[in-house]
Amino acid sequence: MKPEQQPRPGKRALRIAFATSELQPFSKSGGLADVSAALPRALGRLGHKVQIFTPLYPGARAMLDGLEAEHNRIEMPHGIWVDGREHALAFAALELPGCEVIFVENADYFDRSGYYLGADGRDYEDNVARFSFFCRAILEYFLFTGDAPDVLHCNDWQTALLPVYLRSQYPQALLQRIRCLLTIHNLGYQGLFPAQAVDQAGLSWDLFHIDGLEYYGQLNLLKGGIVCADAVSTVSPSYAREIQKEEYGHGLAGLLRAQSYKLSGILNGIDTEQWNPEADPLLVCNYSAARPGGKADCKRALQTELGLPARRGAMLLGMVSRLDVQKGVDLLIGAFEHLARLDLQLVVLGSGDPRLEEELSRLAEKYPKKVAVRLGFDERIAHLIYAGSDAFLMPSRYEPCGLSQMYAQRYGSLPVVRETGGLRDTVRNAGSRSLEAGTASGFVFKKASPARLADAVRKALDLYKHKGKAWQRLQKKVMSLDNSWEGSAKQYVRLYRRMLRAAEQNAHAEGKVVNAGAPDA
Ligand code: ADP
Ligand code: GLC
């Protein structure tokens, strides 16, 4: 682990609050959880003071109870009114290396089996109230402790009400100093609710108009966040460009174009300690770019565990994914019919859309010696797949960043991806020129169709079967790529400082002193 750094001379350490609805290892349904754990730690390593705010779900409560580290419980003497009821305000604060986690408690809202969906697969009806409470509890925490951050970093629709509340309901000087960044991890999820949710969220109807939170007659939380935040970012430069086009804008392209002056794209990194084949305790055998031998053992173990013939020569394709149209799972199902006769095997771990779960299960029944499917969320099997597969599939229709392709690279599994969003920014196609120049880092196809995906897999298979040395060189190369958080964390710090400087300049222009603690950068 790198030693803690100090901010550059002349720059003071920033105080950053990071608000997120998922935090690995306490809660996770996708990459947001990984980012929420790794980015704050990377910011901490750069010498900044970071607090993470996240809901206390049952899994997190159980882990917290089992942790040896002491946590502090903070109860406030007053509650807040949300959706016609008073809710107590209580928090559990836990010191972790490089940052502090503050769990927001509310048994009514967070003691449930899912984070956003009930057992019937449908959104909880009171989601707007649940995350409205979460956001307001964070602001109340700052007021209660009398200590507010320089920057409040919000993530996705679940925390998009924070900048809205800051703009409309919390005039206190302590809170008005805060600059707010909203990061969009996935524009496909906007927090859309019927108009009457305006009341549940405790918002004024004055905000319910086309330039505010109204979206075709509904309440759109992400839209409100985009409008009210001081800056908006997304998780790759390519996705930041794509979402300004109708094709990828999920109905908000026009708004994002209009707000493009405050929109940027910063590529996610990966936690290279947690995702390290050299030390990963979940693997049967550890290995590295310098000593790759153990990967063959991992492949055999994966084939055996998932009930496939342990054939070394067959190219093993892996996929670990939410099962959602976004991820192009249907493209894979279609493509497999073109691929079934080739010498390859496929393992898929995923959960989500019941229709896709069923179609995948049918594929596995049809090709029992070639296809193995595990439905569910399983961290251990995910690691086994990254390590045991030869190639890793991400045929996404859109992909804001994608972490899985970077985990696959680190574990020497060559990604086969569609050219979109963060996949475009992290995977360079293995053509003859890029292979020769040593710049290739996977296989890339453009059009979202089963046939094009099948073509890309055939190219990978050709290299695997007939150009063993080139395959190994490529494998070694991708294992040594630097996808760590450090560079991206520095970009976030520069963005935070720009936001604070802009606020200071505005205040000077207006003749006010807004942020007494503004950076001297
Ligand atoms: P997204 O956030 O869109 O789901 P990412 O690639 O950014 O996509 O992150 C996905 C994360 O979730 C990775 O850490 C991946 O390993 C994990 N993941 C996805 N599905 C599963 C699953 N069924 N079991 C275990 N981990 C999963
Ligand atoms: C979202 C995106 C994914 C991204 C992740 C973390 O879930 O779908 O592409 O990597 O968030 O930012």
Side-chain angles (χ1 to χ4, degrees), residues 29-36 156 183-187 189 234-235 239 268 322 326-327 394 396 398-406 422-423 485:
S29 77
L32 171 64
D34 299 25
V35 172
S36 302
D156 281 348
T183 296
I184 301 170
H185 294 262
N186 193 333
L187 196 58
Y189 300 85
T234 183
V235 287
Y239 195 59
N268 285 335
R322 288 186 292 112
Q326 174 198 345
K327 300 292 182 179
M394 280 183 85
S396 308
Y398 73 93
E399 195 61 70
C401 179
L403 300 172
S404 300
Q405 79 281 12
M406 293 191 265
L423 299 175
W485 263 107

Side-chain angles (χ1 to χ4, degrees), residues 243-300:
I243 55 178
Q244 298 179 54
K245 298 183 190 145
E246 301 307 321
E247 189 189 347
Y248 289 100
H250 294 272
L252 293 183
L255 172 75
L256 288 161
R257 282 197 300 275
Q259 305 273 333
S260 61
Y261 66 94
K262 64 178 190 188
L263 173 66
S264 57
I266 300 177
L267 195 66
N268 285 335
I270 60 170
D271 181 333
T272 49
E273 277 170 43
Q274 199 207 337
W275 296 94
N276 180 8
E278 216 174 341
D280 190 330
L282 297 170
L283 307 187
V284 290
C285 193
N286 291 114
Y287 60 94
S288 64
R291 296 162 64 106
K295 189 163 167 75
D297 296 330
C298 292
K299 176 169 174 177
R300 200 173 323 108

